[in-house]
Amino acid sequence: KYTAWHHRRRCQEALGGDWAAELAYAASVAEDTPKNYQVWQHRRVCCERLGDDGVAALARGDAVVEPPLRERAAAEHEP
């Protein structure tokens, strides 16, 4: 698939971009659009590119996105 996220990854790779900054950006976008599959895929790729640093970021919770309160409350009350 050639999405905007794919294009961002290609640019990151070509320019030797900062994958930690890209991971932080993806996390901020995921907060706004938590059901966006492409952003979660991009986040996963960023973690892979960071290697052990990506795993450490996830372990610390740096890249974890909490769902908005309204969505959490709705999910808890679904039958």
Side-chain angles (χ1 to χ4, degrees):
K1 288 188 169 183
Y2 290 97
T3 64
W5 292 107
H6 178 77
H7 182 72
R8 286 184 70 89
R9 283 192 298 276
R10 302 261 325 231
C11 290
Q12 283 284 100
E13 291 165 355
L15 300 173
D18 181 356
W19 288 103
E22 189 66 13
L23 178 61
Y25 175 72
S28 72
V29 172
E31 282 183 21
D32 294 336
T33 57
K35 294 181 181 182
N36 180 336
Y37 169 80
Q38 288 83 8
V39 72
W40 292 103
Q41 169 68 11
H42 184 70
R43 180 179 168 273
R44 183 186 67 77
V45 172
C46 290
C47 288
E48 287 176 357
R49 297 296 192 277
L50 286 168
D52 290 340
D53 290 338
V55 172
L58 290 174
R60 285 190 311 268
D62 293 354
V64 174
V65 176
E66 290 290 325
L69 179 59
R70 183 174 23 167
E71 285 189 33
R72 283 185 300 198
E76 292 171 3
H77 292 91
E78 288 181 355

